[in-house]
Amino acid sequence: MKFSNSAALAFAATAIAAPSTPTSQDKPRAVQAGCASAVTLDASTNVWKKYTLHANKFYRTEVEAAVAAISDSSLAAKAAKVADVGSFLWLDTIENIGKLEPALEDVPCDHILGLVIYDLPGRDCAAKASNGELKVGELSRYKTEYIDAIVKILKAHPKTAFALVIEPDSLPNLVTNADLQTCKDSASGYRDGVAYALKNLNLPNVVMYIDAGHGGWLGWDANLKPGAQELAKAYKAAGSPKQVRGIATNVAGWNQWDLSPGEFSKASDAKYNKCQNEKLYLDNFGPALKSAGMPNYAIIDTGRNGVSGLREEWGNWCNVNGAGFGVRPTSTTGHDLADAFVWVKPGGESDGTSDSSATRYDSFCGKSDAYQPSPEAGNWNQDYFEMLLKNAKPSF
C-alpha cells in the first residue's frame, strides 16, 4: 500500500516498546452512527483523549475473512480480536472514495474515523510498488475529482469526527530524494496538492496530521531542519489551517517507539542520526517544526512494529519478514507531543509484490529481509497476517 524510499537516507523503523492502554478494543460494534449535533474538534488539544479510533468495516471484513481461513481454533480466536482494533481507511484512488460513505454507517459519537489522504499526482516518486493513478501534471484532477469529492462527503457528515493523515511519503521524498528525476517532476504538484488538501479539508469535525516519514528518514541530522521547513512551507501555503494538529510518523513503518539503544545504533553511520527511535525523532523533529512555524504534535503508527532487529538496513521498507502487530491504538503515550499510537497501515495488506516480472515490482520487495511471496501493494496476504498475529507484542 505504500512506502517509498531510496539510497541511504530513505527509511527507518523502530517500533513502540511501551505497552499502553487500548482504546479501540473491547467495545461492542456500534449500531448508531454519528452524534446528535455537529462535531467541533479543538485541534489545539489532544482529541484522542476523547475519541476512540474506529475499527472500520473494510478492514474488519478482511480480518473476518482471514479468521475463516485459519484452521487453528486458538489462532483464529486471537485473529478475531484484530477486527475490533481501530485502523485508518486508505482513500488511495478516486474510486476508493466510494468506501467513505459506507464506512460512516457504524461510527458512534465517541469514535473518530481515521482516513489516509493518498493520491497525489506522481505519487511515491521514489518507489514503484505504490505508484498512484494520477500522472505528474494532473493536479487539477487531484483537486476536483479527489480532494473536492472527499470534502463534499465530510461536509455532509458534520456529526462525525475524522482524523486525517495527509499524503504519506510525499513531502519527505522532496527532502531526501530531490535528486531523482521522478521527484523533481513531482515536486510542484506535491507542494501545491498538499497545500490544497490542507486548506480545503480544514473543517470543524476534522483534525489533520501531515506525514513526516520517520526517524530513519527525516531524523538524520542533515534532514531535520530541511524536513521541518518543507512541511511548514506546505502548512503556511495552505493559510496555516487551524485543524492541522501536527504530523504522522512511522506510517506503514517498523520503527520502535522507545527502544534503546536503537535498532541501528551500532551502524557505522549512526553518529549522523540521533533519532534512533520514534520518541527521539519526536524529541528532535518537534522543536524543529515549532521553530519553522508549524504545530508539532504527532500520532505514531504502531500497527506492525512489534518486533525489532529484523531488517538488514534502515531503508528496507517492504513486507518485513518476522514482523508483528504492535501496541493497540491508545492516547496513553507518556510523551507531551505524542497524541496517540494508532494503526495507520492495515496489517495483512501487502506493501508491494515480490514478483520481479510485475510492472510495479520494486527491488525492496525482493530483498532478503522481505517476506516472499507477497502480492501487489494493498492486496491481502493471509500468511503475512498470520505471522503478524503470532508475533504480536503485546500478544492478542
Side-chain angles (χ1 to χ4, degrees):
M1 170 165 287
K2 80 148 252 126
F3 249 59
S4 95
N5 156 191
S6 92
L9 300 183
F11 276 90
T14 324
I16 110 168
S20 25
T21 306
T23 61
S24 63
Q25 291 179 270
D26 305 321
K27 293 201 172 194
R29 293 181 65 178
V31 293
Q32 181 64 45
C35 298
S37 57
V39 171
T40 299
L41 299 180
D42 181 358
S44 68
T45 66
N46 183 1
V47 302
W48 303 94
K49 295 291 186 181
K50 179 179 179 181
Y51 292 92
T52 294
L53 180 60
H54 186 63
N56 75 77
K57 64 171 56 182
F58 291 96
Y59 186 52
R60 178 184 293 278
T61 298
E62 288 182 315
V63 172
E64 289 175 346
V67 172
I70 297 175
S71 57
D72 183 326
S73 59
S74 176
L75 188 64
K78 292 181 178 181
K81 296 179 180 179
V82 179
D84 293 324
V85 178
S87 63
F88 278 64
L89 175 65
W90 289 63
L91 304 180
D92 54 357
T93 63
I94 293 169
E95 181 181 3
N96 277 343
I97 297 173
K99 293 181 177 181
L100 185 45
E101 291 275 11
L104 286 162
E105 293 173 356
D106 65 349
V107 183
C109 187
D110 61 344
H111 282 203
I112 189 166
L113 182 63
L115 303 174
V116 179
I117 306 302
Y118 185 55
D119 201 25
L120 279 171
R123 189 178 74 193
D124 261 356
C125 60
K128 294 180 180 178
S130 43
N131 291 161
E133 62 183 349
L134 299 181
K135 297 178 176 61
V136 171
E138 292 191 306
L139 183 60
S140 61
R141 288 193 65 197
Y142 176 78
K143 292 179 178 180
T144 60
E145 297 179 43
Y146 183 70
I147 294 298
D148 290 355
I150 295 172
V151 169
K152 183 178 180 180
I153 295 173
L154 300 193
K155 283 184 174 179
H157 294 274
K159 297 179 181 179
T160 299
F162 298 92
L164 310 184
V165 169
I166 304 297
E167 294 294 349
D169 294 353
S170 58
L171 300 181
N173 266 324
L174 301 187
V175 177
T176 64
N177 296 316
D179 58 323
L180 295 179
Q181 189 59 49
T182 49
C183 291
K184 290 179 182 178
D185 295 341
S186 298
S188 64
Y190 281 14
R191 293 181 176 118
D192 293 347
V194 170
Y196 186 86
L198 294 175
K199 181 177 181 179
N200 288 276
L201 291 165
N202 187 47
L203 305 172
N205 57 329
V206 169
V207 63
M208 292 182 280
Y209 297 86
I210 306 172
D211 182 77
H214 51 68
W217 193 350
L218 296 186
W220 294 87
D221 297 352
N223 295 339
L224 285 167
K225 185 175 180 179
Q229 291 175 336
E230 186 68 60
L231 268 65
K233 188 187 305 180
Y235 168 72
K236 293 174 182 177
S240 302
K242 69 176 184 177
Q243 298 306 109
V244 173
R245 173 70 173 168
I247 59 173
T249 81
N250 204 43
V251 170
W254 318 93
N255 286 5
Q256 298 226 323
W257 167 241
D258 60 0
L259 179 70
S260 182
E263 185 175 359
F264 295 98
S265 60
K266 294 183 179 180
S268 60
D269 57 0
K271 61 184 178 181
Y272 302 113
N273 186 335
K274 61 176 69 75
C275 304
Q276 291 290 322
N277 58 47
E278 291 301 283
K279 182 176 182 292
L280 288 172
Y281 179 42
L282 192 51
D283 286 341
N284 288 277
F285 196 64
L289 279 174
K290 187 174 182 179
S291 295
M294 188 188 136
N296 60 351
Y297 295 94
I299 53 174
I300 300 93
D301 188 356
T302 61
R304 304 184 300 176
N305 69 353
V307 182
S308 184
L310 302 171
R311 294 167 294 167
E312 293 181 349
E313 52 187 71
W314 241 354
N316 292 4
W317 53 267
C318 190
N319 302 317
V320 173
N321 195 12
F325 286 122
V327 168
R328 317 313 175 240
T330 178
S331 61
T332 304
T333 66
H335 195 290
D336 290 342
L337 293 181
D339 281 352
F341 299 140
V342 296
W343 281 21
V344 181
K345 170 74 177 187
E349 293 184 6
S350 176
D351 293 319
T353 180
S354 58
D355 179 2
S356 59
S357 67
T359 301
R360 298 178 73 197
Y361 172 74
D362 190 295
S363 62
F364 280 91
C365 300
K367 285 183 173 288
S368 60
D369 54 8
Y371 188 93
Q372 300 176 51
S374 290
E376 290 281 358
N379 289 351
W380 190 258
N381 189 333
Q382 178 72 17
D383 290 342
Y384 198 84
F385 170 78
E386 292 183 24
M387 180 190 73
L388 289 172
L389 182 61
K390 291 174 182 176
N391 296 336
K393 293 184 180 179
S395 62
F396 277 89

